[in-house]
């Protein structure tokens, strides 16, 4: 089993979530993705979490829209870290999913990122794994430094435009 497993409530969430897998692969973290729903495939979702636990998965990322219970349901079945991504779908544009994902009862945490926060979910998962992996920690430090450089380059280009 890969170190990180992404579970999503529907294939309609996938376009929002592709950056999870892309970012993890960029960082050299093994990852896979499955469509499994807390409401529509509860038995299969539970069985998959058990399979991942046995297979050594380190972090679960769970993404869903509307009444988004997937992350909480997964957290109920594992003591591994669970990161929740509320997805903006449906008439409330993700506000419903945000509250459903973040408001967990004490003792069963879900580390909830922003609505559609795919990249941050991936980076957070990598950071969790990096607490026991120095090589990955160094990769993350470099990744953050390259992000800084990109912003500085953008500012430089803006200053050049402004100065005509
Ligand atoms: C949620 O319902 C899914 O995560 C998705 O965001 C939303 C709509 O699902 P579909 O009707 O597109 O399958 O469970």
């Amino acid at each position: 089993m890969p170190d990180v497993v992404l579970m999503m409530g529907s294939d309609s969430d996938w376009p929002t979530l592709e950056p999870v897998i892309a970012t993890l692969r960029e960082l050299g973290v093994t990852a896979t993705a499955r469509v499994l729903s807390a409401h529509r495939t509860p038995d299969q979702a539970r069985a998959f979490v058990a399979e991942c636990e046995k297979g050594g998965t380190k972090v679960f990322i769970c993404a869903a829209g509307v009444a988004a219970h997937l992350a909480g349901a997964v957290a109920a079945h594992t003591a591994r870290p669970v990161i929740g991504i509320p997805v903006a779908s449906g008439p409330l544009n993700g506000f419903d999913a945000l509250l459903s994902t973040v408001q967990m009862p004490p003792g069963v945490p879900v580390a909830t990122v922003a609505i559609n926060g795919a990249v941050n979910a991936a980076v957070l998962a990598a950071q969790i794994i990096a607490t026991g992996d120095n090589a990955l920690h160094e990769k993350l430090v470099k990744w953050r430094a390259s992000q800084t450089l990109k912003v500085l380059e953008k500012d430089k280009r803006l200053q050049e435009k402004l100065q005509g």
Side-chain angles (χ1 to χ4, degrees):
M1 272 293 169
D3 281 349
V4 178
V5 164
L6 166 66
M7 296 168 69
M8 69 198 88
S10 171
D11 62 342
S12 63
D13 300 322
W14 175 241
T16 303
L17 302 171
E18 279 187 76
V20 173
I21 301 297
T23 305
L24 286 166
R25 291 195 172 156
E26 193 184 332
L27 289 165
V29 177
T30 56
T32 193
R34 291 286 304 271
V35 176
L36 285 164
S37 161
H39 304 124
R40 292 164 170 162
T41 62
D43 295 341
Q44 290 84 352
R46 184 181 182 164
F48 181 61
V49 173
E51 192 187 317
C52 291
E53 281 245 334
K54 274 195 195 139
T57 294
K58 293 176 178 161
V59 180
F60 292 87
I61 299 177
C62 301
V66 294
H69 297 130
L70 184 59
V74 169
H77 293 301
T78 182
R80 303 275 182 203
V82 177
I83 298 170
I85 309 175
V87 175
S89 66
L92 301 185
N93 282 324
F95 191 54
D96 43 3
L98 172 64
L99 297 183
S100 306
T101 305
V102 78
Q103 290 289 19
M104 289 298 291
V108 189
V110 167
T112 305
V113 296
I115 295 171
N116 291 352
V119 171
N120 271 0
V123 174
L124 181 56
Q127 289 180 174
I128 290 167
I129 295 167
T131 57
D133 180 337
N134 281 337
L136 179 56
H137 178 75
E138 287 310 315
K139 263 188 204 164
L140 277 160
V141 170
K142 279 187 192 151
W143 191 86
R144 293 276 287 261
S146 77
Q147 184 175 247
T148 301
L149 272 183
K150 279 180 201 161
V151 174
L152 293 176
E153 277 162 19
K154 284 178 189 172
D155 180 55
K156 194 175 161 215
R157 281 200 292 278
L158 177 66
Q159 297 315 309
E160 285 164 2
K161 260 191 203 165
L162 290 173
Q163 283 157 20

